[in-house]
Amino acid sequence: AKRSWRQDAHVALKALAKTHEGRTELAKILNEKAIDRHKAESILVALSNSKAPDAIQHLRRYAATVTDMELFAAAMEGVLKSMPEPEARRFCLEQAQKLAENPDAAVEKLMFFIRGLRQDDDPPQVKVLRKILRRTKNEELRVACVRSLAKWVLDGSEARDDVLRILRQRLTDDNPAVRVAAARALGESGNVRYVRMLAPLLQDDDRSARQAGAEGISALLGWDFPGSVAGAELDAWIDQL
């Protein structure tokens, strides 16, 4: 019976989303303070699937005010899905640039837009990620930026050298997860001069950072790194380098 009710509700929401008046009514319901999560998610899906310009505006306005990050993401995904990919990428970049002014004020929203960036020859994307890294004190955000920058390492664009410089600086980050992400990215660069820069990680206090350093050095020198090595075996393997 519960499943049948949900199916009926889905059909009703889909029907409402087909008309301007229905979409307006759905937006009103969506903004009710007492609305439960399941109903909100269902309305967001209905508005997103309609792809009507007014539905997208309702999604944008909702995303601008909602504090629940899962609902924010659902609304913004609907907005992005309505755009051609290049436009969606530009939109994510514009939003990231705005939030980068004070990155720690809206960490989760900023991380959402960072995930929406795509690798291309677009220097502003690298510039905004570097700006966030310089300003944020949030460890998760720094990890997200470094992982996003890693997309450029294997690329032959002009941005690659700038990205590698940023990643080198992150080898001494306070957060071991950032050091790990930077080491792995540099290990994929194919440039053996980074062996010397990765070497200090072999003495890192954090085991995952030591392993990332060993993996990066092995990749640069063309060695096979035994992926199953851990614990004391990892330390013994590192001592042999």
Side-chain angles (χ1 to χ4, degrees):
K2 189 174 184 180
R3 183 178 179 182
S4 177
W5 177 84
R6 287 184 176 177
Q7 289 176 335
D8 291 342
H10 174 73
V11 172
L13 290 173
K14 187 176 180 180
L16 279 171
K18 289 182 177 180
T19 68
H20 175 77
E21 293 77 11
R23 292 189 292 270
T24 301
E25 183 60 30
L26 288 177
K28 288 180 180 178
I29 298 172
L30 191 59
N31 287 290
E32 291 177 355
K33 292 183 178 179
I35 188 171
D36 65 74
R37 175 189 287 274
H38 177 72
K39 184 183 287 186
E41 289 174 343
S42 298
I43 292 174
L44 290 172
V45 169
L47 290 173
S48 175
N49 288 339
S50 79
K51 298 182 180 179
D54 61 304
I56 303 307
Q57 288 302 315
H58 290 315
L59 291 173
R60 284 197 184 201
R61 284 194 286 268
Y62 180 75
T65 58
V66 69
T67 56
D68 184 304
M69 278 308 303
E70 290 187 16
L71 295 178
F72 167 82
M76 286 310 310
E77 284 168 4
V79 172
L80 294 174
K81 193 165 64 173
S82 72
M83 301 175 178
E85 186 176 343
E87 185 180 341
R89 192 166 60 237
R90 283 195 299 272
F91 179 79
C92 287
L93 174 60
E94 290 167 0
Q95 297 304 308
Q97 288 171 329
K98 291 176 183 177
L99 295 173
E101 295 301 320
N102 186 10
D104 292 348
V107 170
E108 291 180 304
K109 288 186 177 182
L110 184 49
M111 288 179 67
F112 175 88
F113 291 118
I114 287 173
R115 288 193 294 270
L117 299 178
R118 293 291 180 269
Q119 178 191 6
D120 55 23
D121 291 338
D122 193 359
Q125 294 193 25
V126 174
K127 184 178 179 180
V128 72
L129 291 168
R130 180 173 57 222
K131 184 176 184 178
I132 295 167
L133 280 169
R134 286 176 175 170
R135 295 191 174 195
T136 185
K137 294 181 179 178
N138 185 277
E139 295 185 347
E140 286 186 74
L141 192 50
R142 294 205 302 279
V143 172
C145 286
V146 169
R147 287 176 177 169
S148 185
L149 284 166
K151 299 172 188 176
W152 276 266
V153 170
L154 296 177
D155 185 68
S157 71
E158 294 179 1
R160 184 176 185 271
D161 288 341
D162 193 20
V163 167
L164 290 171
R165 281 193 292 271
I166 298 169
L167 292 173
R168 289 201 305 267
Q169 295 168 358
R170 291 297 140 185
L171 290 175
T172 56
D173 195 279
D174 292 339
N175 183 358
V178 176
R179 300 197 295 277
V180 167
R184 287 176 175 165
L186 290 172
E188 294 177 352
S189 69
N191 193 328
V192 294
R193 68 176 178 171
Y194 294 130
V195 168
R196 178 187 290 182
M197 297 175 188
L198 291 172
L201 287 181
L202 300 178
Q203 306 300 322
D204 199 283
D205 291 336
D206 183 84
R207 188 178 298 277
S208 62
R210 291 200 299 277
Q211 179 165 342
E215 289 174 353
I217 290 172
S218 297
L220 291 172
L221 296 177
W223 298 346
D224 291 328
F225 182 82
S228 61
V229 169
E233 286 183 292
L234 172 63
D235 294 334
W237 193 87
I238 288 174
D239 288 341
Q240 294 175 10
L241 290 178

